[in-house]
Amino acid sequence: RKEVEQDPGPFNVPEGATVAFNCTYSNSASQSFFWYRQDCRKEPKLLMSVYSSGNEDGRFTAQLNRASQYISLLIRDSKLSDSATYLCVVNPLGNGYGNKLVFGAGTILRVKS
Amino acid sequence: DGGITQSPKYLFRKEGQNVTLSCEQNLNHDAMYWYRQDPGQGLRLIYYSQIVNDFQKGDIAEGYSVSREKKESFPLTVTSAQKNPTAFYLCASTDRDGNQPQHFGDGTRLSIL
């Protein structure tokens, strides 16, 4: 089982739609979680940190479910500019690697007009 | 502005040649990382350094070498032993606190001539 797993998509949604992605992680000792956004041929950029029970920033909401070991990202009122790859990132502090982050392979979102 | 600078943006390697990718940060971060990304795939960790004069192998260190003589700089050498070097190389940095996200440079695209 991969340490961090994501549905690769693509998720094709119309403008204005609500879309949600899930990400599962295997290390139950993981302490911190992040969502990054990566545009085509660009570097990943931090979208949100998810530290405890969840986080909200405008149209974006991230949730953490420790019991089931997954985090989710909800995007409301999708914009064309939201089209990107969304990376789920986990800090598995329990494996002794300090702040070595583990990246999921990403979920592709395409928002269409 | 504080940030991470990678250079060059594009690099071409000849057969049997070693090439060095530069990464400099002025964020006063202790930890620095090198990742490789292949088309349609996630980030894979090559090497990381949590403090000056110390570095650790990541998941795909073979054919690569690094040094960390200064806090601000973490150059990556792609040696001739790396038989498939064509990829997008990303440098990142963060505070040593494992709960902090990583910040990325804008990457170097390496191709074989």
Side-chain angles (χ1 to χ4, degrees):
Chain A
R1 182 183 175 188
K2 289 183 181 178
E3 287 188 82
V4 178
E5 291 200 73
Q6 296 182 250
D7 181 344
F11 285 63
N12 296 302
V13 302
E15 273 188 290
T18 296
V19 61
F21 313 133
N22 279 343
C23 164
T24 59
Y25 59 95
S26 61
N27 188 339
S28 59
S30 298
Q31 294 297 316
S32 53
F33 311 86
F34 311 96
W35 283 103
Y36 280 74
R37 169 195 171 125
Q38 186 173 25
D39 292 293
C40 187
R41 301 178 69 82
K42 298 285 190 181
E43 77 277 16
K45 293 187 177 176
L46 179 67
L47 180 65
M48 301 181 75
S49 300
V50 188
Y51 287 117
S52 55
S53 60
N55 197 16
E56 183 171 327
D57 183 3
R59 298 183 292 110
F60 299 85
T61 301
Q63 294 285 340
L64 168 64
N65 185 318
R66 286 192 183 275
S68 300
Q69 293 180 214
Y70 76 84
I71 64 174
S72 62
L73 178 66
L74 181 79
I75 304 175
R76 291 180 295 275
D77 188 22
S78 299
K79 312 290 185 190
L80 293 174
S81 57
D82 293 334
S83 297
T85 298
Y86 290 84
L87 306 177
C88 172
V89 184
V90 175
N91 182 357
L93 288 178
N95 70 358
Y97 286 123
N99 53 356
K100 173 186 167 185
L101 299 182
V102 179
F103 287 76
T107 297
I108 297 171
L109 172 65
R110 296 180 185 146
V111 182
K112 300 183 184 293
S113 59
Chain B
D1 281 340
I4 303 174
T5 302
Q6 289 187 242
S7 63
K9 199 171 181 69
Y10 299 95
L11 186 59
F12 298 91
R13 194 191 88 170
K14 293 180 181 177
E15 196 83 31
Q17 185 183 41
N18 292 353
V19 293
T20 297
L21 284 59
S22 170
C23 178
E24 304 277 331
Q25 55 98 0
N26 60 4
L27 299 166
N28 200 33
H29 284 165
D30 289 299
M32 297 185 74
Y33 307 79
W34 274 105
Y35 295 91
R36 169 183 173 138
Q37 188 174 35
D38 292 280
Q41 298 191 31
L43 277 66
R44 291 185 290 168
L45 184 64
I46 304 173
Y47 267 98
Y48 65 107
S49 168
Q50 294 189 333
I51 198 166
V52 175
N53 292 322
D54 184 58
F55 49 82
Q56 307 293 329
K57 291 182 179 180
D59 302 314
I60 55 163
E62 187 174 348
Y64 300 97
S65 66
V66 293
S67 63
R68 187 83 188 278
E69 297 175 2
K70 298 187 299 181
K71 187 175 185 177
E72 304 78 24
S73 179
F74 191 41
L76 173 74
T77 296
V78 183
T79 74
S80 56
Q82 173 48 247
K83 298 305 179 188
N84 184 22
T86 298
F88 187 38
Y89 289 86
L90 288 157
C91 178
S93 71
T94 189
D95 288 335
R96 287 183 72 188
D97 174 359
N99 288 321
Q100 298 303 312
Q102 293 179 6
H103 301 269
F104 286 85
D106 57 6
T108 293
R109 292 199 178 274
L110 176 62
S111 302
I112 295 183
L113 280 176

